Amino acid sequence: MNQELEKLSNRLQSFGKENLRDILHFTATGLKNLFDCYLVRIYLEDLYEGMLICQYVTGQPHQEEMPVTQFVAPQASVMSQAFSKNEVVLSWKLPTAFAKSRSPFEQKSGIHASAVFPITHQHRPIGTLSLDWDDEDGFINDDQVQAVTAFLLEISFVIDRAKRFHQQITFSRHLDLARKKEAAWRMMRSAVKLIDNLTLASVLVPSSTKNPKSSTGRSAHLVEVLAVFSKDKDDAMIYSTMDQISLLNDQSLMHRIVDFDDRKGLVVRNKDQEAVYIEDVTGENFARKSIAEKIDLVSLYQIPKFDAKTRQFICAVNYYTSSPYKFTPFEKRLLEDHASMVEKLILEESAEHIEIQVLSEIEELLSETDTSLQSFLHKSLDKISELIGADTGTISVLKVIDGKPWLVVENPDGKLVGAKSRGWIKSKIPLLPVGSTEIPESMKSLNGYCAHTARPILVSDVHDNKQTQRFYKSLSPSIRSELVVPILYGSRVLGVINQDSFRINYFNEEHRKILQIIASLISQRVHNLRQIEELRRELTQVSQDIGYRDPKVSSYHFGNVIGKSRKVHSLVAQIDTVVESICNRMLNWDKGIDRETIMGLPCLLIHGETGTGKEFFFNNIYSRITEFFQNTKGPGHKVLLRKTNIAAYSGELTYSELFGHKKGAFTGAEFNRQGILEEANGGVVFLDEIGDADPKTQVQLLRFLDTGVFMRLGESQPHYSRIFLIAATNKKLMEEIQKGRFREDLYHRLNALSFHIPRLNERKEDIGDLATHFLGILYHTYKKDPQEETPPALDSDAIEVLTHHDFRGNVRELKNILLRAMLFRKGRLITREDIIQSCEDEPSNSYEYDPGFRNEELIDDILDRLEAGEGDFWSEIHQPFKRNQLTRDTVKAILETAKSRYRANLPGLAIKLRVFNGEKPRSPAEMKKFISFKNFLYKTVKISSN
């Protein structure tokens, strides 16, 4: 079976994007023969119609004329379940009987059992495939289900590419018709306004002109209203109510000029057919006579247009007056000219309509090598606005700020993050929160609501509260109508395309549909460019650590690890050995060798005291990995990188940060999100403070490292990722295990490969080179004169003082001492006295180090100064603790004293300790401070929750 599926896959992948019909045919018939099915059906999502349309059913070659449709909406059918849930649905395993959920087509066709598979491309369902049986015995087993799933995954790109191309062609036809209708309407309006006695003008065309899909024999005798204009809008509406007219009999005003031919369709009766004038149509007998009488149509001047050679009917332009009237020769000439213009636009079949041209240009953008997200969005928006004809527009990018989703067009400093057209109309666009009714009135927006619902929004009048549901945010008084469409990658909202018009009722369904197609076209590119930008940000931090080398230092190793000591030499040798082995394994991932379910994912544990430079060593390890890959795969290759600090999160937020979550999985989960382990697939992840991971995260992390499989929070569907995980901790994990705070099995899994970063006091011989290196970095960061290149030097006595100093804060303390010495030095040379003074300044706020200062006095002094508004929690408690100037017990004592002094709960304490400004958090930034305050107390200081 697997060999047959492989052959079928290879055959399908040889087809181009123009062969959708062939692709579907061979897919369906191949599977039907392989599994001996009664039927095989293939449904594809139609971006224009907004539904699943049955594109192929085995044994029914003409189903495209009467497509079986199934709307993508919550319903009991197995087809919708498989599509909406993106999972295989087996009818015989449904909790309720299959008969209750069978669609009319399934009932009519005698289908009694179905195995429905989602067709998924880029983690997003694009359609479904159903294997159907006419009895209840011909089921497939689990191995066969897995085989079909894998097969569909292999060919999904071929199907998606062909589907998109097919829908683009279909969509261009709809756009062409819309343009013709608009132009014909304008011509009719012009005629009525030019000639005073005209009251109504209309254009009638064969049904096949208005709807190309209806060109079968069943509808070839019909004519339809393409456009109508009347001085009275109500009359135009009445005239259009019965917009189809049959010419199989003589019950119409067109029977004098048009006849129906079984072979040719609609033709004019005479090859020299001229215009027809009827002085009073009320004296005629025709099907629409009641309508004519209702809106007072009397005299008619009817001009037929047709092919002179074939007599093929093209259109009839009707001009009506409300009282008997004979047109003058001049007026007739005007009416003839208008009719000729209508004929020309109907026949116009330009090789490249502007719509197709713009879509083609957007596709060209997708292949450009420019990796700037902002540039791509700007170019895309220019083409969108040209196509839609909007007066202004934006593309906003969804970003998570302080744990909440926001739409960003530009930063507060005015720097563009997304894109905007005609920026002078919306000179400053604020950050817009994503959400619904919970958003404050002043911050609500259609863009934010669109991103929240992941649905397009079309508002004909932004001043109509019923239409906007009070979500419209006015950024310009000129704007009257608005169209908003989300950019979706899978089930994730990446951003929002917004188009504005100064005209009321400007946007229509055609605009909405083309904007959805464009959003779909650019979504993957936007996702990829965002990934690249994330990687660049991470690499910027890495380059800051490894990019500077001081010429006076000779003990650099790979990257810029510095060390003459035996411990550093040994560590560097271990890292080199491990990195080469791990890189060889990562290279096998690209070759399709997947052993992770057996061997587990590679991981490395870095442990050492606070301030020893664990992240610095990680950055150098990552640099070494990048160097290895670039030597193997080319100089432009970038290894994906994600970094996070576990201590910055708690509970569900930690789980979500690593593994992602489904919308609604917890309070505040307003959108689907990938975790960093999924985003970094094929690359490297650094988890700092791994010892602070909560129990649930530890369990899932262990499972992920063993198998490469994980589930997002709120989902039961497995996901896969292959990464090299590097974790770091300053905790003694064996002690944490004994206290029941860390899983022993996870520790052993992480500790399979481990590096211990020595304390600075254990590598005294490295201090001189380290000091020279860090002094150079600090000088280039803080120097006043940009032209000055030479940093100050340390004299030998200064280095001697540093070598004999007892570093409680390790490398971090060394940097602090050097910064003070550099800033307050008296000359170009940093002397012994400068270093001594800087070392004495180190515990300036470190009350623990003053033996004459009792702990009670320290606590009272801190609380008194906070009450007086001098400093805040972060400068007086948090930072001193991080610098080892306050012990954990002292911080606990401060909290206990504050509880007793203020008689307050945790939020009350946050106010008294000046965690944020005011009586409560008033912004996302302040709410983040409060969350960090709680995490610091409960997870870092370990205070009791009672």
Side-chain angles (χ1 to χ4, degrees):
M1 178 187 66
N2 289 334
Q3 290 181 346
E4 293 298 321
L5 287 175
E6 185 177 355
K7 290 180 182 178
L8 181 57
S9 175
N10 292 336
R11 181 176 188 180
L12 294 172
Q13 293 185 44
S14 67
F15 286 116
K17 62 182 180 180
E18 302 83 4
N19 306 111
L20 178 63
R21 181 71 180 172
D22 292 328
I23 292 168
L24 299 182
H25 170 74
F26 288 108
T27 299
T29 55
L31 292 176
K32 183 178 185 298
N33 295 334
L34 189 58
F35 292 97
D36 194 25
C37 303
Y38 170 58
L39 290 177
V40 174
R41 292 174 287 158
I42 300 178
Y43 283 68
L44 294 180
E45 181 190 30
D46 189 300
L47 295 175
Y48 178 79
E49 298 291 347
M51 63 181 73
L52 281 177
I53 294 183
C54 186
Q55 298 287 350
Y56 194 90
V57 178
T58 52
Q60 299 184 35
H62 303 294
Q63 71 271 11
E64 71 274 10
E65 293 181 4
M66 298 184 65
V68 180
T69 60
Q70 195 155 22
F71 290 90
V72 183
Q75 50 185 300
S77 68
V78 291
M79 201 66 66
S80 290
Q81 289 182 47
F83 182 83
S84 60
K85 294 180 180 179
N86 195 15
E87 62 183 29
V88 179
V89 176
L90 306 176
S91 65
W92 54 92
K93 291 188 177 181
L94 292 174
T96 57
F98 177 49
K100 294 182 179 180
S101 60
R102 283 197 303 169
S103 68
F105 176 84
E106 290 161 345
Q107 295 175 17
K108 183 178 179 180
S109 301
I111 297 172
H112 292 283
S114 293
V116 186
F117 298 81
I119 304 173
T120 304
H121 181 63
Q122 296 292 345
H123 307 292
R124 179 181 180 275
I126 60 172
T128 55
L129 180 143
S130 180
L131 306 180
D132 304 315
W133 290 269
D134 57 355
D135 56 51
E136 299 182 359
D137 296 322
F139 307 150
I140 58 177
N141 57 42
D142 291 343
D143 290 339
Q144 292 171 323
V145 168
Q146 292 181 8
V148 174
T149 301
F151 163 74
L152 291 176
L153 191 60
E154 286 183 358
I155 67 168
S156 63
F157 166 76
V158 179
I159 295 176
D160 184 68
R161 180 181 59 179
K163 174 182 79 81
R164 287 175 182 273
F165 181 77
H166 175 75
Q167 290 182 2
Q168 285 178 24
I169 298 300
T170 303
F171 185 67
S172 68
R173 292 170 183 159
H174 285 284
L175 288 176
D176 185 49
L177 174 63
R179 188 177 60 184
K180 291 176 178 179
K181 290 171 64 176
E182 172 73 6
W185 178 84
R186 289 180 180 275
M187 294 306 301
M188 296 302 95
R189 181 184 65 175
S190 172
V192 171
K193 289 190 174 183
L194 281 173
I195 300 176
D196 291 338
N197 288 286
L198 274 185
T199 187
L200 182 145
S202 66
V203 179
L204 300 181
V205 296
S207 179
S208 59
T209 301
K210 189 173 180 182
N211 181 10
K213 288 188 176 181
S214 67
S215 59
T216 62
R218 293 188 298 273
S219 58
H221 61 279
L222 297 175
V223 294
E224 299 183 30
V225 177
L226 179 69
V228 59
F229 181 84
S230 173
K231 290 179 178 178
D232 188 323
K233 291 183 179 179
D234 292 336
D235 288 352
M237 293 290 293
I238 295 171
Y239 183 89
S240 299
T241 53
M242 188 177 172
D243 62 349
Q244 284 195 339
I245 303 167
S246 173
L247 294 182
L248 288 177
N249 52 54
D250 293 338
Q251 297 301 308
S252 76
L253 293 175
M254 295 182 64
H255 74 276
R256 298 182 184 182
I257 59 173
V258 181
D259 194 11
F260 176 69
D261 183 278
D262 288 334
R263 185 171 57 87
K264 295 182 179 181
L266 296 177
V267 294
V268 293
R269 292 183 178 274
N270 304 306
K271 63 179 181 179
D272 299 321
Q273 184 68 54
E274 297 181 348
V276 172
Y277 172 73
I278 302 176
E279 185 174 8
D280 188 354
V281 297
T282 59
E284 302 286 325
N285 185 24
F286 59 102
R288 290 165 57 90
K289 183 176 180 178
S290 59
I291 293 177
E293 291 176 341
K294 185 175 182 179
I295 58 179
D296 296 323
L297 300 183
V298 180
S299 294
L300 167 65
Y301 188 67
Q302 187 176 64
I303 302 174
K305 291 295 178 181
F306 54 93
D307 188 300
K309 293 181 179 180
T310 64
R311 295 191 295 126
Q312 199 81 35
F313 173 65
I314 296 172
C315 68
V317 183
N318 296 335
Y319 301 103
Y320 288 98
T321 63
S322 58
S323 60
Y325 180 75
K326 289 187 176 181
F327 296 95
T328 67
F330 175 76
E331 290 172 336
K332 288 182 179 180
R333 193 160 55 249
L334 280 176
L335 298 181
E336 288 280 358
D337 289 341
H338 280 72
S340 296
M341 288 294 294
V342 171
E343 177 191 24
K344 181 178 179 181
L345 69 91
I346 289 175
L347 292 177
E348 182 183 28
E349 291 291 343
S350 174
E352 280 195 10
H353 298 304
I354 183 64
E355 294 84 2
I356 299 177
Q357 181 180 348
V358 171
L359 288 172
S360 175
E361 290 174 357
I362 287 177
E363 283 200 327
E364 289 178 10
L365 281 179
L366 299 177
S367 62
E368 286 187 2
T369 57
D370 183 4
T371 54
S372 166
L373 174 63
Q374 199 278 318
S375 173
F376 174 75
L377 294 179
H378 178 74
K379 292 176 182 177
S380 298
L381 182 61
D382 284 346
K383 296 182 184 301
I384 291 169
S385 297
E386 177 185 4
L387 176 57
I388 300 296
D391 294 303
T392 182
T394 61
I395 299 181
S396 51
V397 178
L398 191 146
K399 288 180 174 276
V400 178
I401 304 173
D402 298 332
K404 293 287 185 179
W406 296 76
L407 290 175
V408 184
V409 174
E410 55 190 346
N411 288 330
D413 61 2
K415 182 180 179 182
L416 279 175
V417 175
K420 61 180 180 179
S421 60
R422 299 189 183 180
W424 62 89
I425 297 173
K426 294 180 177 180
S427 58
K428 189 169 183 59
I429 303 175
L431 274 64
L432 300 174
V434 174
S436 182
T437 54
E438 76 282 0
I439 302 295
E441 286 291 327
S442 62
M443 302 182 75
K444 286 182 177 178
S445 68
L446 291 175
N447 286 7
Y449 188 60
C450 171
H452 173 74
T453 60
R455 299 284 184 181
I457 298 174
L458 192 160
V459 175
S460 300
D461 183 359
V462 296
H463 295 162
D464 185 344
N465 289 333
K466 289 184 179 179
Q467 290 188 49
T468 65
Q469 301 180 58
R470 298 187 178 276
F471 275 98
Y472 175 69
K473 185 177 185 67
S474 177
L475 297 177
S476 170
S478 302
I479 295 173
R480 292 305 308 274
S481 54
E482 187 159 295
L483 174 61
V484 191
V485 168
I487 304 173
L488 300 173
Y489 181 75
S491 57
R492 181 182 179 188
V493 177
L494 301 180
V496 165
I497 303 175
N498 170 281
Q499 295 281 273
D500 299 306
S501 175
F502 299 157
R503 291 168 48 191
I504 194 171
N505 297 319
Y506 176 75
F507 297 108
N508 54 42
E509 287 301 302
E510 302 289 344
H511 295 129
R512 177 185 65 78
K513 290 163 185 173
I514 190 171
L515 208 55
Q516 282 184 277
I517 286 183
I518 292 175
S520 177
L521 285 173
I522 69 173
S523 63
Q524 183 172 349
R525 179 70 167 169
V526 171
H527 170 76
N528 292 342
L529 291 177
R530 290 194 64 178
Q531 293 279 81
I532 291 171
E533 285 200 347
E534 289 290 331
L535 181 58
R536 281 176 174 165
R537 278 193 286 270
E538 298 288 1
L539 292 179
T540 298
Q541 181 180 347
V542 173
S543 65
Q544 289 173 351
D545 272 353
I546 66 173
Y548 175 79
R549 285 195 171 201
D550 195 289
K552 297 186 290 295
V553 176
S554 59
S555 60
Y556 286 111
H557 300 281
F558 61 83
N560 58 6
V561 173
I562 298 170
K564 301 174 182 176
S565 63
R566 180 183 56 81
K567 289 192 175 184
V568 170
H569 277 227
S570 175
L571 182 58
V572 168
Q574 292 178 46
I575 290 174
D576 255 335
T577 301
V578 167
V579 165
E580 183 175 355
S581 300
I582 296 297
C583 286
N584 285 326
R585 182 175 176 187
M586 292 171 71
L587 285 172
N588 286 332
W589 292 344
D590 291 340
K591 298 175 183 177
I593 299 174
D594 190 357
R595 301 181 179 133
E596 275 57 55
T597 56
I598 301 173
M599 299 178 58
L601 295 170
C603 53
L604 169 68
L605 180 63
I606 302 175
H607 50 89
E609 289 185 1
T610 298
T612 52
K614 294 183 292 297
E615 186 170 359
F616 172 78
F617 269 87
F618 163 77
N619 289 339
N620 280 275
I621 292 171
Y622 174 78
S623 175
R624 183 72 182 88
I625 293 171
T626 300
E627 180 185 342
F628 185 96
F629 269 83
Q630 288 180 346
N631 289 337
T632 305
K633 305 188 73 171
H637 185 81
K638 292 182 175 66
V639 180
L640 279 173
L641 169 64
R642 289 291 181 271
K643 299 165 73 173
T644 195
N645 189 315
I646 297 295
Y649 305 91
S650 63
E652 292 172 332
L653 293 178
T654 309
Y655 191 102
S656 170
E657 171 72 5
L658 297 185
F659 303 107
H661 64 251
K662 183 180 180 181
K663 180 179 178 180
F666 56 89
T667 302
E670 297 170 347
F671 58 100
N672 295 317
R673 183 195 172 187
Q674 287 183 331
I676 64 170
L677 300 179
E678 187 173 1
E679 290 177 343
N681 184 26
V684 181
V685 172
F686 177 66
L687 301 183
D688 202 3
E689 306 289 358
I690 189 64
D692 289 322
D694 62 90
K696 182 178 180 181
T697 301
Q698 291 182 39
V699 171
Q700 184 74 346
L701 186 58
L702 176 62
R703 179 178 180 236
F704 170 67
L705 291 174
D706 280 340
T707 64
V709 179
F710 65 93
M711 286 182 285
R712 296 176 187 164
L713 188 64
E715 283 188 353
S716 57
Q717 178 182 349
H719 297 270
Y720 304 86
S721 184
R722 293 176 293 187
I723 61 159
F724 176 24
L725 178 72
I726 302 178
T729 183
N730 61 356
K731 292 186 175 182
K732 296 179 179 179
L733 292 183
M734 289 305 298
E735 293 182 5
E736 296 295 305
I737 291 170
Q738 292 171 4
K739 295 175 182 178
R741 292 197 287 257
F742 201 82
R743 293 181 63 95
E744 185 172 2
D745 47 6
L746 177 58
Y747 168 74
H748 290 302
R749 186 70 182 80
L750 292 169
N751 201 46
L753 295 171
S754 65
F755 297 144
H756 173 73
I757 310 301
R759 296 186 301 118
L760 191 54
N761 290 333
E762 297 174 339
R763 44 186 298 212
K764 292 285 190 179
E765 57 266 57
D766 297 334
I767 289 177
D769 282 353
L770 286 169
T772 301
H773 172 81
F774 290 132
L775 186 60
I777 293 176
L778 290 168
Y779 177 73
H780 286 292
T781 303
Y782 288 94
K783 65 181 179 180
K784 297 178 182 178
D785 184 2
Q787 304 302 319
E788 180 62 49
E789 291 294 331
T790 306
L794 288 156
D795 68 18
S796 57
D797 289 339
I799 294 176
E800 185 70 17
V801 172
L802 288 172
T803 303
H804 288 89
H805 181 71
D806 181 24
F807 289 95
R808 298 169 59 91
N810 293 298
V811 174
R812 186 178 292 123
E813 183 181 345
L814 173 62
K815 289 180 182 179
N816 292 339
I817 292 171
L818 291 170
L819 175 60
R820 287 191 293 273
M822 182 191 72
L823 294 177
F824 298 109
R825 72 186 187 277
K826 298 178 177 60
R828 287 292 304 166
L829 193 68
I830 295 178
T831 66
R832 178 177 184 274
E833 288 71 25
D834 293 329
I835 294 297
I836 290 174
Q837 181 61 46
S838 297
C839 290
E840 291 176 352
D841 289 343
E842 177 68 19
S844 59
N845 290 321
S846 181
Y847 309 103
E848 297 289 340
Y849 298 155
D850 187 349
F853 199 30
R854 298 200 321 273
N855 214 38
E856 294 82 358
E857 295 175 353
L858 161 66
I859 294 171
D860 290 338
D861 182 67
I862 292 174
L863 294 179
D864 289 345
R865 284 187 293 106
L866 289 175
E867 285 183 6
E870 299 175 7
D872 56 26
F873 167 80
W874 308 103
S875 63
E876 299 301 316
I877 300 174
H878 185 266
Q879 287 303 320
F881 174 81
K882 290 292 185 181
R883 294 194 296 263
N884 295 321
Q885 297 166 354
L886 291 177
T887 66
R888 182 176 279 104
D889 289 339
T890 300
V891 174
K892 287 183 178 179
I894 293 173
L895 266 295
E896 291 301 322
T897 303
K899 283 183 181 179
S900 176
R901 179 186 290 196
Y902 304 123
R903 303 290 182 183
N905 56 13
L906 191 62
L909 284 178
I911 295 171
K912 293 295 184 181
L913 296 178
R914 295 177 60 79
V915 172
F916 43 77
N917 298 322
E919 294 298 316
K920 62 179 180 179
R922 298 184 181 277
S923 69
E926 291 186 338
M927 180 56 72
K928 182 181 179 181
K929 287 183 178 180
F930 180 66
I931 294 172
S932 297
F933 169 68
K934 289 199 302 181
N935 289 339
F936 173 72
L937 298 187
Y938 289 128
K939 299 186 66 177
T940 304
V941 181
K942 310 290 186 184
I943 68 168
S944 171
S945 59
N946 296 328

